[in-house]
Amino acid sequence: MPGTPPSRFVYLGPEGTFAEQALRTVPAAERGTRTPARSVGEALDHVRAGDADAALVPLENSIGGAVGVTLDEMAEGEPLVITREVVLPVEFVLGARPGTSLTSVRVVAAHPQASNQCRGWLRDHLPDAVVVDVLSNGAAAAGAGSGEYDAAICAPIGATRHRLTVLADKIADHPDAVTRFALVSRPGPPPPPTGDDLTSLAVYIAHDRVGALLSVLMELAVRGVNLTRIESRPTGEALGRYVFFLDCTGHVADVRLGEALQGLRRVCADVRFLGSYPRHRWTEAAAERPVPAPAGLSDVDYADAAAWLARLRTGELS
């Protein structure tokens, strides 16, 4: 029913991964059902088919960059929209069965990205251990729990799920690494503006037009809309054809962003709206304050200018 809070959630599985840990920070998901999916595409298809109300999928990592498969899935197929972002610190732990000591660890299970992000710690603390690649952080934790491996590099939730003792925590080489996840639903009214929002778009430019990408950027810049991320992905149509994914500050309900969207509609081959949603709230609020609009480009300025124009059109010159 319209307006009914989501209660059926799906996420990129398996269980015991950072995706599950991120989803459990969403209050509605903690109260509802949480089902792992085998891939990003499968998770989003569950939402498209109505088998789930929302899916949590990874968007980007501060070390590894954008998650291309998520961007591709969002740009293609039946439209979906982002209703929330979750930014989760990537804090890897080394987990093992109770009674295992660090000096006895000879074989460590890890997803390739996890072992790569913990390469320095492994070199310094387990230089002789063999690292075995597995499909996920959850699979690594499960393997250590069953005794298949001496230890696992995994998410804290994976160690808890499989009753592992944490031999070492925060073992990533980049202690400030984070992964950004998106909560995705079927199209509907976006969450109301909070004053600190992001809007995501997939923009297709006219490839036979000189300066097409510059025109896109100018539509945002002249209205004081701050571009926080731009990422290109091949469309698959032909070599050199790309779709650009944009994250910009503001909400579709904001006057200046609304005008920017109208401008993009005019100059682009196509624009897919991927959602307006609250920016993730960091603990250090001062470091994440929204970038203020330049003088003359705030929503108040736009509203004043619109009212002035309306008066002119009715013959009022004061």
Side-chain angles (χ1 to χ4, degrees):
M1 293 176 59
T4 302
S7 61
R8 301 171 301 158
F9 295 84
V10 64
Y11 63 93
L12 177 62
E15 296 179 338
T17 60
F18 285 109
E20 183 188 8
Q21 190 169 326
L23 180 60
R24 297 195 71 158
T25 67
V26 178
E30 186 68 9
R31 295 189 298 268
T33 60
R34 301 175 300 275
T35 305
R38 292 171 295 183
S39 66
V40 169
E42 181 180 283
L44 297 182
D45 284 344
H46 278 305
V47 177
R48 289 186 172 110
D51 299 326
D53 300 319
L56 190 91
V57 291
L59 271 182
E60 60 178 321
N61 178 269
S62 59
I63 304 299
V67 180
V69 65
T70 300
L71 298 181
D72 293 343
E73 289 285 347
M74 290 292 290
E76 300 171 1
E78 188 178 338
L80 296 169
V81 293
I82 300 170
T83 59
R84 182 184 183 128
E85 69 168 358
V86 177
V87 180
L88 186 75
V90 180
E91 297 180 347
F92 288 108
V93 303
L94 185 76
R97 285 185 298 171
T100 303
S101 66
L102 187 62
T103 56
S104 68
V105 173
R106 296 289 179 267
V107 181
V108 178
H111 185 277
Q113 289 184 359
S115 58
N116 185 57
Q117 292 188 41
C118 301
R119 186 169 49 201
W121 189 92
L122 288 168
R123 182 188 61 238
D124 295 340
H125 296 87
L126 292 174
D128 299 322
V130 174
V131 178
V132 177
D133 291 345
V134 294
L135 294 177
S136 69
N137 298 314
S146 68
E148 185 178 358
Y149 310 104
D150 297 331
I153 296 175
C154 60
I157 192 174
T160 301
R161 177 68 50 80
H162 295 282
R163 297 182 173 84
L164 303 180
T165 297
V166 175
L167 301 181
D169 63 355
K170 298 182 179 180
I171 64 175
D173 298 336
H174 299 275
D176 297 325
V178 297
T179 295
R180 179 183 176 218
F181 295 86
L183 191 67
V184 179
S185 300
R186 292 182 295 281
T194 66
D196 188 12
D197 303 288
L198 292 175
T199 291
S200 294
L201 308 166
V203 172
Y204 297 80
I205 65 172
H207 296 277
D208 56 352
R209 177 180 167 187
V210 176
L213 181 56
L214 178 60
S215 296
V216 168
L217 301 180
M218 287 300 296
E219 292 293 337
L220 302 175
V222 298
R223 295 175 177 88
V225 176
N226 186 41
L227 184 66
T228 63
R229 185 178 70 94
I230 181 170
E231 190 85 25
S232 64
R233 294 286 299 167
T235 63
E237 298 171 356
L239 191 64
R241 298 294 179 92
Y242 294 90
V243 53
F244 293 87
F245 293 89
L246 312 180
D247 286 345
C248 49
T249 57
H251 192 281
V252 66
D254 297 341
V255 178
R256 60 181 169 136
L257 183 59
E259 288 202 4
L261 291 176
Q262 291 181 70
L264 293 177
R265 175 73 174 181
R266 291 193 301 268
V267 303
C268 295
D270 193 16
V271 179
R272 175 172 280 202
F273 176 72
L274 299 180
S276 289
Y277 48 92
R279 187 199 296 263
H280 178 82
R281 298 295 192 267
W282 294 88
T283 53
E284 298 181 10
E288 285 296 317
R289 291 188 183 121
V291 177
L297 294 177
S298 70
D299 276 346
V300 172
D301 295 324
Y302 268 90
D304 178 71
W308 174 75
L309 179 60
R311 291 196 301 271
L312 294 183
R313 287 171 171 171
T314 60
E316 296 181 34
L317 300 183
S318 57

